[in-house]
Amino acid sequence: MDKFLEFSSNHPLLVLALLVSFFVAVFSELRRKASGLINIDAVAAVKLINGDAVVVDIRSADGFSRGHIVGARNIPSDELDAKLPLLEPHKSRPVVVVCDAGVTSNKAVSMLRQAGFESVYGLKGGMTGWSQEGLPVVTGKKTRSKSAKQKPGKKKQA
């Protein structure tokens, strides 16, 4: 204890900086938890998705077509309020909100929580973080397979 007091008296600015950073970290974490914003990493998101979570991609249609999570629904952030009724049937299921870098999803998470959704999470790092983890990404628009395009009973001509 004597060494700690001696260090503190010799380096008051370092001790002050340590205390300030500690209190800032605690305060920001408490504020985040109080507001209900919960960001999850890609591994936790995969667990939720495998457990029947709904993925809402709030990026533009262009960003969505460049690459998105399998089964994600594209509702751009500026249209989310108007298209909220599309998500109403999924209020009791977990919802994972995805944006480009994990920053703009916080607003959508707050909006969905205020609308009565029970468990809404933002994807930490967004699609950038998802891709960096090497997780699967669907690109382009969904197309039916060749066999589904072919009418039953008709053979494909060579």
Side-chain angles (χ1 to χ4, degrees), residues 30-62:
L30 289 174
R31 193 181 80 198
R32 185 183 65 83
K33 288 203 185 249
S35 67
L37 295 178
I38 299 175
N39 290 321
I40 57 172
D41 62 357
V43 175
V46 168
K47 288 179 184 177
L48 283 174
I49 293 167
N50 288 340
D52 201 31
V54 177
V55 180
V56 178
D57 194 320
I58 61 167
R59 298 176 299 149
S60 66
D62 186 42

Side-chain angles (χ1 to χ4, degrees), residues 146 150 154-158:
K146 288 181 181 179
Q150 189 176 346
K154 299 223 179 189
K155 291 188 177 181
K156 188 177 176 183
Q157 294 179 1

Side-chain angles (χ1 to χ4, degrees), residues 21-35:
S21 63
F22 172 75
F23 286 115
V24 165
V26 168
F27 175 73
S28 65
E29 188 66 22
L30 289 174
R31 193 181 80 198
R32 185 183 65 83
K33 288 203 185 249
S35 67

